[in-house]
Amino acid sequence: MRIESLLIERYGIHADRRFDFEPGLQVIYGPNEAGKTTLLQLIRDQFFGYRDRHPYKFDDRPLKATAHCVTQGGRRFSFSRQKGRPDIVAGGFSDGRESIDADVLGRLIGGITSTTYHQLFAFSLDDLRKGGEVLAEEGLHRALFGAGM
């Protein structure tokens, strides 16, 4: 599955914004405090659900975004997620044949967990730095170097 665009109604500093994504690797860059980490967290929350206490909720209005995606088979769909108890997930395929709720979304993402998604597909420069520090502390860099020889 690939995210084609995100329409952000409200999430942290992002309100009434749209982000379009091209196929392939996406690199988000900009100055400090531009909202890069906020956007990354929104993508995680959009697919896996909002946390109970949320650092990006600044007022009483609900956090909400809509993702437009395409499956590997080429089917286009969109879904919205709004923070609630439980979160409200609603959407559908562009062909109108199937609606999307939290269960269907879970199947579309192949049962991947939030942790796995974070580690494989949506990590920040800080995450990379921390990973390098852990490798250095554990002496794994020597083991990996030796394995490479």
Side-chain angles (χ1 to χ4, degrees), residues 13-50:
I13 65 167
H14 300 297
D16 300 320
R17 294 203 54 194
R18 177 185 177 110
F19 291 90
D20 294 307
F21 303 103
E22 298 296 323
L25 175 69
Q26 301 297 299
V27 177
I28 308 295
Y29 64 94
N32 289 341
E33 303 301 319
K36 302 177 299 294
T37 301
T38 303
L39 179 60
L40 182 61
Q41 186 59 49
L42 167 63
I43 292 169
R44 294 173 187 148
D45 287 351
Q46 185 71 13
F47 286 91
F48 301 102
Y50 294 109

PDB file of all heavy atoms in Angstrom, residues 13-50:
ATOM      1  N   ILE A  13       0.440  21.472  14.902  1.00  0.00           N
ATOM      2  CA  ILE A  13       0.521  22.754  14.196  1.00  0.00           C
ATOM      3  C   ILE A  13      -0.103  22.695  12.807  1.00  0.00           C
ATOM      4  O   ILE A  13      -0.269  23.727  12.165  1.00  0.00           O
ATOM      5  CB  ILE A  13       1.988  23.254  14.072  1.00  0.00           C
ATOM      6  CG1 ILE A  13       2.821  22.317  13.186  1.00  0.00           C
ATOM      7  CG2 ILE A  13       2.614  23.416  15.437  1.00  0.00           C
ATOM      8  CD1 ILE A  13       4.153  22.897  12.784  1.00  0.00           C
ATOM      9  N   HIS A  14      -0.444  21.504  12.347  1.00  0.00           N
ATOM     10  CA  HIS A  14      -1.035  21.349  11.020  1.00  0.00           C
ATOM     11  C   HIS A  14      -2.556  21.439  11.105  1.00  0.00           C
ATOM     12  O   HIS A  14      -3.191  20.672  11.827  1.00  0.00           O
ATOM     13  CB  HIS A  14      -0.648  20.007  10.394  1.00  0.00           C
ATOM     14  CG  HIS A  14       0.821  19.824  10.223  1.00  0.00           C
ATOM     15  ND1 HIS A  14       1.584  20.631   9.409  1.00  0.00           N
ATOM     16  CD2 HIS A  14       1.685  18.923  10.762  1.00  0.00           C
ATOM     17  CE1 HIS A  14       2.843  20.237   9.454  1.00  0.00           C
ATOM     18  NE2 HIS A  14       2.926  19.200  10.269  1.00  0.00           N
ATOM     19  N   ALA A  15      -3.125  22.359  10.372  1.00  0.00           N
ATOM     20  CA  ALA A  15      -4.578  22.477  10.283  1.00  0.00           C
ATOM     21  C   ALA A  15      -4.931  22.868   8.860  1.00  0.00           C
ATOM     22  O   ALA A  15      -4.282  23.739   8.263  1.00  0.00           O
ATOM     23  CB  ALA A  15      -5.097  23.523  11.267  1.00  0.00           C
ATOM     24  N   ASP A  16      -5.917  22.179   8.304  1.00  0.00           N
ATOM     25  CA  ASP A  16      -6.355  22.445   6.927  1.00  0.00           C
ATOM     26  C   ASP A  16      -5.172  22.445   5.958  1.00  0.00           C
ATOM     27  O   ASP A  16      -4.977  23.368   5.188  1.00  0.00           O
ATOM     28  CB  ASP A  16      -7.118  23.770   6.848  1.00  0.00           C
ATOM     29  CG  ASP A  16      -8.344  23.766   7.733  1.00  0.00           C
ATOM     30  OD1 ASP A  16      -9.035  22.722   7.784  1.00  0.00           O
ATOM     31  OD2 ASP A  16      -8.615  24.786   8.389  1.00  0.00           O
ATOM     32  N   ARG A  17      -4.379  21.360   6.010  1.00  0.00           N
ATOM     33  CA  ARG A  17      -3.207  21.217   5.140  1.00  0.00           C
ATOM     34  C   ARG A  17      -3.293  19.926   4.354  1.00  0.00           C
ATOM     35  O   ARG A  17      -3.901  18.963   4.787  1.00  0.00           O
ATOM     36  CB  ARG A  17      -1.919  21.192   5.960  1.00  0.00           C
ATOM     37  CG  ARG A  17      -1.683  22.524   6.645  1.00  0.00           C
ATOM     38  CD  ARG A  17      -0.288  22.818   7.011  1.00  0.00           C
ATOM     39  NE  ARG A  17       0.658  22.726   5.916  1.00  0.00           N
ATOM     40  CZ  ARG A  17       1.960  22.694   6.111  1.00  0.00           C
ATOM     41  NH1 ARG A  17       2.452  22.721   7.325  1.00  0.00           N
ATOM     42  NH2 ARG A  17       2.789  22.617   5.103  1.00  0.00           N
ATOM     43  N   ARG A  18      -2.641  19.936   3.215  1.00  0.00           N
ATOM     44  CA  ARG A  18      -2.590  18.751   2.365  1.00  0.00           C
ATOM     45  C   ARG A  18      -1.134  18.466   2.020  1.00  0.00           C
ATOM     46  O   ARG A  18      -0.374  19.375   1.676  1.00  0.00           O
ATOM     47  CB  ARG A  18      -3.384  18.994   1.080  1.00  0.00           C
ATOM     48  CG  ARG A  18      -3.325  17.831   0.115  1.00  0.00           C
ATOM     49  CD  ARG A  18      -4.015  18.156  -1.201  1.00  0.00           C
ATOM     50  NE  ARG A  18      -3.870  17.046  -2.103  1.00  0.00           N
ATOM     51  CZ  ARG A  18      -4.852  16.248  -2.479  1.00  0.00           C
ATOM     52  NH1 ARG A  18      -6.062  16.471  -2.028  1.00  0.00           N
ATOM     53  NH2 ARG A  18      -4.628  15.253  -3.300  1.00  0.00           N
ATOM     54  N   PHE A  19      -0.771  17.191   2.119  1.00  0.00           N
ATOM     55  CA  PHE A  19       0.554  16.734   1.717  1.00  0.00           C
ATOM     56  C   PHE A  19       0.365  15.659   0.656  1.00  0.00           C
ATOM     57  O   PHE A  19      -0.380  14.706   0.856  1.00  0.00           O
ATOM     58  CB  PHE A  19       1.319  16.136   2.905  1.00  0.00           C
ATOM     59  CG  PHE A  19       1.722  17.152   3.929  1.00  0.00           C
ATOM     60  CD1 PHE A  19       0.884  17.465   4.985  1.00  0.00           C
ATOM     61  CD2 PHE A  19       2.941  17.802   3.827  1.00  0.00           C
ATOM     62  CE1 PHE A  19       1.252  18.401   5.934  1.00  0.00           C
ATOM     63  CE2 PHE A  19       3.322  18.744   4.774  1.00  0.00           C
ATOM     64  CZ  PHE A  19       2.475  19.039   5.834  1.00  0.00           C
ATOM     65  N   ASP A  20       1.022  15.816  -0.489  1.00  0.00           N
ATOM     66  CA  ASP A  20       0.985  14.830  -1.564  1.00  0.00           C
ATOM     67  C   ASP A  20       2.313  14.098  -1.595  1.00  0.00           C
ATOM     68  O   ASP A  20       3.376  14.696  -1.414  1.00  0.00           O
ATOM     69  CB  ASP A  20       0.742  15.513  -2.914  1.00  0.00           C
ATOM     70  CG  ASP A  20      -0.635  16.135  -2.985  1.00  0.00           C
ATOM     71  OD1 ASP A  20      -1.620  15.427  -2.727  1.00  0.00           O
ATOM     72  OD2 ASP A  20      -0.726  17.344  -3.282  1.00  0.00           O
ATOM     73  N   PHE A  21       2.252  12.775  -1.826  1.00  0.00           N
ATOM     74  CA  PHE A  21       3.441  11.942  -1.825  1.00  0.00           C
ATOM     75  C   PHE A  21       3.571  11.224  -3.164  1.00  0.00           C
ATOM     76  O   PHE A  21       2.618  10.637  -3.656  1.00  0.00           O
ATOM     77  CB  PHE A  21       3.374  10.914  -0.688  1.00  0.00           C
ATOM     78  CG  PHE A  21       3.203  11.538   0.670  1.00  0.00           C
ATOM     79  CD1 PHE A  21       1.981  11.524   1.295  1.00  0.00           C
ATOM     80  CD2 PHE A  21       4.273  12.152   1.294  1.00  0.00           C
ATOM     81  CE1 PHE A  21       1.814  12.105   2.550  1.00  0.00           C
ATOM     82  CE2 PHE A  21       4.124  12.743   2.545  1.00  0.00           C
ATOM     83  CZ  PHE A  21       2.892  12.717   3.170  1.00  0.00           C
ATOM     84  N   GLU A  22       4.759  11.260  -3.712  1.00  0.00           N
ATOM     85  CA  GLU A  22       5.061  10.562  -4.960  1.00  0.00           C
ATOM     86  C   GLU A  22       5.452   9.119  -4.636  1.00  0.00           C
ATOM     87  O   GLU A  22       5.834   8.815  -3.522  1.00  0.00           O
ATOM     88  CB  GLU A  22       6.211  11.269  -5.690  1.00  0.00           C
ATOM     89  CG  GLU A  22       5.908  12.697  -6.087  1.00  0.00           C
ATOM     90  CD  GLU A  22       4.785  12.797  -7.099  1.00  0.00           C
ATOM     91  OE1 GLU A  22       4.698  11.919  -7.983  1.00  0.00           O
ATOM     92  OE2 GLU A  22       3.988  13.741  -7.006  1.00  0.00           O
ATOM     93  N   PRO A  23       5.418   8.232  -5.625  1.00  0.00           N
ATOM     94  CA  PRO A  23       5.890   6.858  -5.384  1.00  0.00           C
ATOM     95  C   PRO A  23       7.370   6.857  -4.992  1.00  0.00           C
ATOM     96  O   PRO A  23       8.126   7.729  -5.406  1.00  0.00           O
ATOM     97  CB  PRO A  23       5.695   6.176  -6.741  1.00  0.00           C
ATOM     98  CG  PRO A  23       4.651   6.982  -7.432  1.00  0.00           C
ATOM     99  CD  PRO A  23       4.861   8.398  -6.965  1.00  0.00           C
ATOM    100  N   GLY A  24       7.760   5.884  -4.180  1.00  0.00           N
ATOM    101  CA  GLY A  24       9.153   5.748  -3.778  1.00  0.00           C
ATOM    102  C   GLY A  24       9.429   6.340  -2.413  1.00  0.00           C
ATOM    103  O   GLY A  24       8.522   6.692  -1.667  1.00  0.00           O
ATOM    104  N   LEU A  25      10.698   6.442  -2.104  1.00  0.00           N
ATOM    105  CA  LEU A  25      11.163   6.960  -0.819  1.00  0.00           C
ATOM    106  C   LEU A  25      10.746   8.419  -0.645  1.00  0.00           C
ATOM    107  O   LEU A  25      10.894   9.232  -1.552  1.00  0.00           O
ATOM    108  CB  LEU A  25      12.688   6.849  -0.733  1.00  0.00           C
ATOM    109  CG  LEU A  25      13.352   7.450   0.495  1.00  0.00           C
ATOM    110  CD1 LEU A  25      12.997   6.636   1.738  1.00  0.00           C
ATOM    111  CD2 LEU A  25      14.858   7.502   0.296  1.00  0.00           C
ATOM    112  N   GLN A  26      10.240   8.731   0.537  1.00  0.00           N
ATOM    113  CA  GLN A  26       9.863  10.100   0.859  1.00  0.00           C
ATOM    114  C   GLN A  26      10.818  10.637   1.915  1.00  0.00           C
ATOM    115  O   GLN A  26      11.010  10.010   2.949  1.00  0.00           O
ATOM    116  CB  GLN A  26       8.440  10.166   1.416  1.00  0.00           C
ATOM    117  CG  GLN A  26       7.394   9.638   0.473  1.00  0.00           C
ATOM    118  CD  GLN A  26       7.302  10.428  -0.813  1.00  0.00           C
ATOM    119  OE1 GLN A  26       7.008  11.614  -0.815  1.00  0.00           O
ATOM    120  NE2 GLN A  26       7.584   9.760  -1.915  1.00  0.00           N
ATOM    121  N   VAL A  27      11.424  11.776   1.633  1.00  0.00           N
ATOM    122  CA  VAL A  27      12.288  12.440   2.591  1.00  0.00           C
ATOM    123  C   VAL A  27      11.641  13.780   2.906  1.00  0.00           C
ATOM    124  O   VAL A  27      11.415  14.594   2.012  1.00  0.00           O
ATOM    125  CB  VAL A  27      13.717  12.647   2.039  1.00  0.00           C
ATOM    126  CG1 VAL A  27      14.580  13.413   3.028  1.00  0.00           C
ATOM    127  CG2 VAL A  27      14.350  11.308   1.687  1.00  0.00           C
ATOM    128  N   ILE A  28      11.325  13.977   4.170  1.00  0.00           N
ATOM    129  CA  ILE A  28      10.703  15.223   4.603  1.00  0.00           C
ATOM    130  C   ILE A  28      11.781  16.041   5.295  1.00  0.00           C
ATOM    131  O   ILE A  28      12.418  15.566   6.229  1.00  0.00           O
ATOM    132  CB  ILE A  28       9.536  14.953   5.597  1.00  0.00           C
ATOM    133  CG1 ILE A  28       8.545  13.934   5.034  1.00  0.00           C
ATOM    134  CG2 ILE A  28       8.878  16.243   6.020  1.00  0.00           C
ATOM    135  CD1 ILE A  28       7.807  14.389   3.810  1.00  0.00           C
ATOM    136  N   TYR A  29      12.010  17.258   4.832  1.00  0.00           N
ATOM    137  CA  TYR A  29      13.035  18.096   5.438  1.00  0.00           C
ATOM    138  C   TYR A  29      12.505  19.511   5.577  1.00  0.00           C
ATOM    139  O   TYR A  29      11.534  19.903   4.938  1.00  0.00           O
ATOM    140  CB  TYR A  29      14.335  18.064   4.615  1.00  0.00           C
ATOM    141  CG  TYR A  29      14.177  18.646   3.233  1.00  0.00           C
ATOM    142  CD1 TYR A  29      14.482  19.980   2.987  1.00  0.00           C
ATOM    143  CD2 TYR A  29      13.728  17.869   2.176  1.00  0.00           C
ATOM    144  CE1 TYR A  29      14.328  20.519   1.718  1.00  0.00           C
ATOM    145  CE2 TYR A  29      13.578  18.389   0.910  1.00  0.00           C
ATOM    146  CZ  TYR A  29      13.878  19.721   0.691  1.00  0.00           C
ATOM    147  OH  TYR A  29      13.719  20.247  -0.562  1.00  0.00           O
ATOM    148  N   GLY A  30      13.153  20.267   6.432  1.00  0.00           N
ATOM    149  CA  GLY A  30      12.768  21.644   6.672  1.00  0.00           C
ATOM    150  C   GLY A  30      13.416  22.139   7.940  1.00  0.00           C
ATOM    151  O   GLY A  30      14.098  21.390   8.642  1.00  0.00           O
ATOM    152  N   PRO A  31      13.189  23.408   8.255  1.00  0.00           N
ATOM    153  CA  PRO A  31      13.803  23.972   9.464  1.00  0.00           C
ATOM    154  C   PRO A  31      13.215  23.369  10.735  1.00  0.00           C
ATOM    155  O   PRO A  31      12.147  22.740  10.707  1.00  0.00           O
ATOM    156  CB  PRO A  31      13.477  25.469   9.358  1.00  0.00           C
ATOM    157  CG  PRO A  31      12.303  25.547   8.454  1.00  0.00           C
ATOM    158  CD  PRO A  31      12.396  24.377   7.517  1.00  0.00           C
ATOM    159  N   ASN A  32      13.913  23.576  11.837  1.00  0.00           N
ATOM    160  CA  ASN A  32      13.421  23.132  13.136  1.00  0.00           C
ATOM    161  C   ASN A  32      12.046  23.735  13.397  1.00  0.00           C
ATOM    162  O   ASN A  32      11.772  24.879  13.020  1.00  0.00           O
ATOM    163  CB  ASN A  32      14.377  23.542  14.257  1.00  0.00           C
ATOM    164  CG  ASN A  32      15.658  22.748  14.229  1.00  0.00           C
ATOM    165  OD1 ASN A  32      15.724  21.683  13.628  1.00  0.00           O
ATOM    166  ND2 ASN A  32      16.682  23.262  14.884  1.00  0.00           N
ATOM    167  N   GLU A  33      11.199  22.947  14.041  1.00  0.00           N
ATOM    168  CA  GLU A  33       9.845  23.366  14.433  1.00  0.00           C
ATOM    169  C   GLU A  33       8.913  23.597  13.242  1.00  0.00           C
ATOM    170  O   GLU A  33       7.899  24.267  13.375  1.00  0.00           O
ATOM    171  CB  GLU A  33       9.885  24.610  15.327  1.00  0.00           C
ATOM    172  CG  GLU A  33      10.720  24.446  16.585  1.00  0.00           C
ATOM    173  CD  GLU A  33      10.229  23.314  17.479  1.00  0.00           C
ATOM    174  OE1 GLU A  33       9.016  23.148  17.641  1.00  0.00           O
ATOM    175  OE2 GLU A  33      11.100  22.587  18.011  1.00  0.00           O
ATOM    176  N   ALA A  34       9.238  23.020  12.079  1.00  0.00           N
ATOM    177  CA  ALA A  34       8.384  23.177  10.899  1.00  0.00           C
ATOM    178  C   ALA A  34       7.236  22.170  10.879  1.00  0.00           C
ATOM    179  O   ALA A  34       6.322  22.303  10.079  1.00  0.00           O
ATOM    180  CB  ALA A  34       9.214  23.046   9.618  1.00  0.00           C
ATOM    181  N   GLY A  35       7.307  21.144  11.743  1.00  0.00           N
ATOM    182  CA  GLY A  35       6.243  20.149  11.807  1.00  0.00           C
ATOM    183  C   GLY A  35       6.588  18.814  11.183  1.00  0.00           C
ATOM    184  O   GLY A  35       5.701  17.998  10.934  1.00  0.00           O
ATOM    185  N   LYS A  36       7.865  18.539  10.949  1.00  0.00           N
ATOM    186  CA  LYS A  36       8.277  17.277  10.330  1.00  0.00           C
ATOM    187  C   LYS A  36       7.958  16.086  11.227  1.00  0.00           C
ATOM    188  O   LYS A  36       7.354  15.114  10.781  1.00  0.00           O
ATOM    189  CB  LYS A  36       9.779  17.304  10.013  1.00  0.00           C
ATOM    190  CG  LYS A  36      10.218  18.430   9.104  1.00  0.00           C
ATOM    191  CD  LYS A  36      11.714  18.446   8.884  1.00  0.00           C
ATOM    192  CE  LYS A  36      12.538  18.648  10.136  1.00  0.00           C
ATOM    193  NZ  LYS A  36      12.414  19.941  10.791  1.00  0.00           N
ATOM    194  N   THR A  37       8.341  16.164  12.485  1.00  0.00           N
ATOM    195  CA  THR A  37       8.079  15.076  13.425  1.00  0.00           C
ATOM    196  C   THR A  37       6.581  14.937  13.661  1.00  0.00           C
ATOM    197  O   THR A  37       6.064  13.820  13.796  1.00  0.00           O
ATOM    198  CB  THR A  37       8.821  15.324  14.754  1.00  0.00           C
ATOM    199  OG1 THR A  37      10.227  15.405  14.464  1.00  0.00           O
ATOM    200  CG2 THR A  37       8.583  14.212  15.750  1.00  0.00           C
ATOM    201  N   THR A  38       5.882  16.043  13.687  1.00  0.00           N
ATOM    202  CA  THR A  38       4.428  16.017  13.852  1.00  0.00           C
ATOM    203  C   THR A  38       3.784  15.263  12.696  1.00  0.00           C
ATOM    204  O   THR A  38       2.901  14.429  12.903  1.00  0.00           O
ATOM    205  CB  THR A  38       3.872  17.453  13.939  1.00  0.00           C
ATOM    206  OG1 THR A  38       4.510  18.139  15.017  1.00  0.00           O
ATOM    207  CG2 THR A  38       2.376  17.464  14.140  1.00  0.00           C
ATOM    208  N   LEU A  39       4.221  15.528  11.472  1.00  0.00           N
ATOM    209  CA  LEU A  39       3.695  14.836  10.304  1.00  0.00           C
ATOM    210  C   LEU A  39       3.993  13.341  10.378  1.00  0.00           C
ATOM    211  O   LEU A  39       3.118  12.510  10.100  1.00  0.00           O
ATOM    212  CB  LEU A  39       4.276  15.425   9.026  1.00  0.00           C
ATOM    213  CG  LEU A  39       3.837  14.784   7.718  1.00  0.00           C
ATOM    214  CD1 LEU A  39       2.319  14.896   7.541  1.00  0.00           C
ATOM    215  CD2 LEU A  39       4.564  15.416   6.549  1.00  0.00           C
ATOM    216  N   LEU A  40       5.187  12.980  10.783  1.00  0.00           N
ATOM    217  CA  LEU A  40       5.559  11.572  10.923  1.00  0.00           C
ATOM    218  C   LEU A  40       4.672  10.881  11.950  1.00  0.00           C
ATOM    219  O   LEU A  40       4.168   9.779  11.715  1.00  0.00           O
ATOM    220  CB  LEU A  40       7.030  11.451  11.313  1.00  0.00           C
ATOM    221  CG  LEU A  40       7.595  10.054  11.461  1.00  0.00           C
ATOM    222  CD1 LEU A  40       7.507   9.277  10.160  1.00  0.00           C
ATOM    223  CD2 LEU A  40       9.046  10.145  11.925  1.00  0.00           C
ATOM    224  N   GLN A  41       4.428  11.533  13.081  1.00  0.00           N
ATOM    225  CA  GLN A  41       3.572  10.941  14.105  1.00  0.00           C
ATOM    226  C   GLN A  41       2.133  10.839  13.622  1.00  0.00           C
ATOM    227  O   GLN A  41       1.438   9.871  13.921  1.00  0.00           O
ATOM    228  CB  GLN A  41       3.645  11.742  15.406  1.00  0.00           C
ATOM    229  CG  GLN A  41       2.891  11.078  16.545  1.00  0.00           C
ATOM    230  CD  GLN A  41       3.399   9.684  16.876  1.00  0.00           C
ATOM    231  OE1 GLN A  41       4.603   9.484  17.034  1.00  0.00           O
ATOM    232  NE2 GLN A  41       2.514   8.716  16.973  1.00  0.00           N
ATOM    233  N   LEU A  42       1.684  11.808  12.850  1.00  0.00           N
ATOM    234  CA  LEU A  42       0.326  11.740  12.297  1.00  0.00           C
ATOM    235  C   LEU A  42       0.166  10.506  11.415  1.00  0.00           C
ATOM    236  O   LEU A  42      -0.845   9.797  11.506  1.00  0.00           O
ATOM    237  CB  LEU A  42      -0.008  12.992  11.492  1.00  0.00           C
ATOM    238  CG  LEU A  42      -1.264  12.879  10.621  1.00  0.00           C
ATOM    239  CD1 LEU A  42      -2.501  12.656  11.465  1.00  0.00           C
ATOM    240  CD2 LEU A  42      -1.416  14.066   9.727  1.00  0.00           C
ATOM    241  N   ILE A  43       1.143  10.223  10.585  1.00  0.00           N
ATOM    242  CA  ILE A  43       1.057   9.051   9.716  1.00  0.00           C
ATOM    243  C   ILE A  43       0.944   7.784  10.566  1.00  0.00           C
ATOM    244  O   ILE A  43       0.111   6.919  10.293  1.00  0.00           O
ATOM    245  CB  ILE A  43       2.266   8.987   8.753  1.00  0.00           C
ATOM    246  CG1 ILE A  43       2.178  10.143   7.746  1.00  0.00           C
ATOM    247  CG2 ILE A  43       2.315   7.642   8.034  1.00  0.00           C
ATOM    248  CD1 ILE A  43       3.428  10.346   6.914  1.00  0.00           C
ATOM    249  N   ARG A  44       1.739   7.693  11.619  1.00  0.00           N
ATOM    250  CA  ARG A  44       1.644   6.532  12.515  1.00  0.00           C
ATOM    251  C   ARG A  44       0.259   6.456  13.156  1.00  0.00           C
ATOM    252  O   ARG A  44      -0.365   5.395  13.198  1.00  0.00           O
ATOM    253  CB  ARG A  44       2.710   6.621  13.601  1.00  0.00           C
ATOM    254  CG  ARG A  44       4.125   6.495  13.087  1.00  0.00           C
ATOM    255  CD  ARG A  44       5.113   6.758  14.205  1.00  0.00           C
ATOM    256  NE  ARG A  44       6.477   6.805  13.723  1.00  0.00           N
ATOM    257  CZ  ARG A  44       7.420   7.559  14.257  1.00  0.00           C
ATOM    258  NH1 ARG A  44       7.164   8.312  15.301  1.00  0.00           N
ATOM    259  NH2 ARG A  44       8.630   7.543  13.765  1.00  0.00           N
ATOM    260  N   ASP A  45      -0.219   7.588  13.668  1.00  0.00           N
ATOM    261  CA  ASP A  45      -1.529   7.618  14.323  1.00  0.00           C
ATOM    262  C   ASP A  45      -2.658   7.327  13.347  1.00  0.00           C
ATOM    263  O   ASP A  45      -3.644   6.688  13.702  1.00  0.00           O
ATOM    264  CB  ASP A  45      -1.772   8.973  14.983  1.00  0.00           C
ATOM    265  CG  ASP A  45      -0.950   9.196  16.236  1.00  0.00           C
ATOM    266  OD1 ASP A  45      -0.306   8.237  16.721  1.00  0.00           O
ATOM    267  OD2 ASP A  45      -0.951  10.341  16.733  1.00  0.00           O
ATOM    268  N   GLN A  46      -2.525   7.784  12.120  1.00  0.00           N
ATOM    269  CA  GLN A  46      -3.575   7.583  11.124  1.00  0.00           C
ATOM    270  C   GLN A  46      -3.826   6.098  10.877  1.00  0.00           C
ATOM    271  O   GLN A  46      -4.960   5.663  10.740  1.00  0.00           O
ATOM    272  CB  GLN A  46      -3.194   8.289   9.816  1.00  0.00           C
ATOM    273  CG  GLN A  46      -4.256   8.250   8.752  1.00  0.00           C
ATOM    274  CD  GLN A  46      -5.455   9.132   9.080  1.00  0.00           C
ATOM    275  OE1 GLN A  46      -5.418   9.963   9.970  1.00  0.00           O
ATOM    276  NE2 GLN A  46      -6.539   8.937   8.363  1.00  0.00           N
ATOM    277  N   PHE A  47      -2.766   5.326  10.856  1.00  0.00           N
ATOM    278  CA  PHE A  47      -2.908   3.902  10.562  1.00  0.00           C
ATOM    279  C   PHE A  47      -3.095   3.029  11.796  1.00  0.00           C
ATOM    280  O   PHE A  47      -3.699   1.969  11.710  1.00  0.00           O
ATOM    281  CB  PHE A  47      -1.711   3.406   9.750  1.00  0.00           C
ATOM    282  CG  PHE A  47      -1.762   3.867   8.326  1.00  0.00           C
ATOM    283  CD1 PHE A  47      -1.159   5.050   7.947  1.00  0.00           C
ATOM    284  CD2 PHE A  47      -2.475   3.150   7.386  1.00  0.00           C
ATOM    285  CE1 PHE A  47      -1.246   5.500   6.644  1.00  0.00           C
ATOM    286  CE2 PHE A  47      -2.573   3.593   6.080  1.00  0.00           C
ATOM    287  CZ  PHE A  47      -1.956   4.771   5.707  1.00  0.00           C
ATOM    288  N   PHE A  48      -2.580   3.462  12.946  1.00  0.00           N
ATOM    289  CA  PHE A  48      -2.585   2.589  14.121  1.00  0.00           C
ATOM    290  C   PHE A  48      -3.375   3.131  15.301  1.00  0.00           C
ATOM    291  O   PHE A  48      -3.505   2.439  16.300  1.00  0.00           O
ATOM    292  CB  PHE A  48      -1.148   2.283  14.544  1.00  0.00           C
ATOM    293  CG  PHE A  48      -0.379   1.609  13.445  1.00  0.00           C
ATOM    294  CD1 PHE A  48       0.520   2.321  12.671  1.00  0.00           C
ATOM    295  CD2 PHE A  48      -0.587   0.267  13.161  1.00  0.00           C
ATOM    296  CE1 PHE A  48       1.211   1.705  11.639  1.00  0.00           C
ATOM    297  CE2 PHE A  48       0.096  -0.357  12.132  1.00  0.00           C
ATOM    298  CZ  PHE A  48       0.992   0.373  11.374  1.00  0.00           C
ATOM    299  N   GLY A  49      -3.884   4.324  15.205  1.00  0.00           N
ATOM    300  CA  GLY A  49      -4.723   4.862  16.271  1.00  0.00           C
ATOM    301  C   GLY A  49      -4.023   5.895  17.125  1.00  0.00           C
ATOM    302  O   GLY A  49      -2.806   5.855  17.311  1.00  0.00           O
ATOM    303  N   TYR A  50      -4.827   6.804  17.638  1.00  0.00           N
ATOM    304  CA  TYR A  50      -4.315   7.867  18.497  1.00  0.00           C
ATOM    305  C   TYR A  50      -4.085   7.361  19.912  1.00  0.00           C
ATOM    306  O   TYR A  50      -4.810   6.496  20.399  1.00  0.00           O
ATOM    307  CB  TYR A  50      -5.321   9.027  18.545  1.00  0.00           C
ATOM    308  CG  TYR A  50      -5.500   9.737  17.234  1.00  0.00           C
ATOM    309  CD1 TYR A  50      -6.668   9.605  16.501  1.00  0.00           C
ATOM    310  CD2 TYR A  50      -4.500  10.551  16.731  1.00  0.00           C
ATOM    311  CE1 TYR A  50      -6.843  10.275  15.297  1.00  0.00           C
ATOM    312  CE2 TYR A  50      -4.658  11.215  15.531  1.00  0.00           C
ATOM    313  CZ  TYR A  50      -5.836  11.079  14.821  1.00  0.00           C
ATOM    314  OH  TYR A  50      -5.995  11.734  13.636  1.00  0.00           O
TER     315      TYR A  50
END
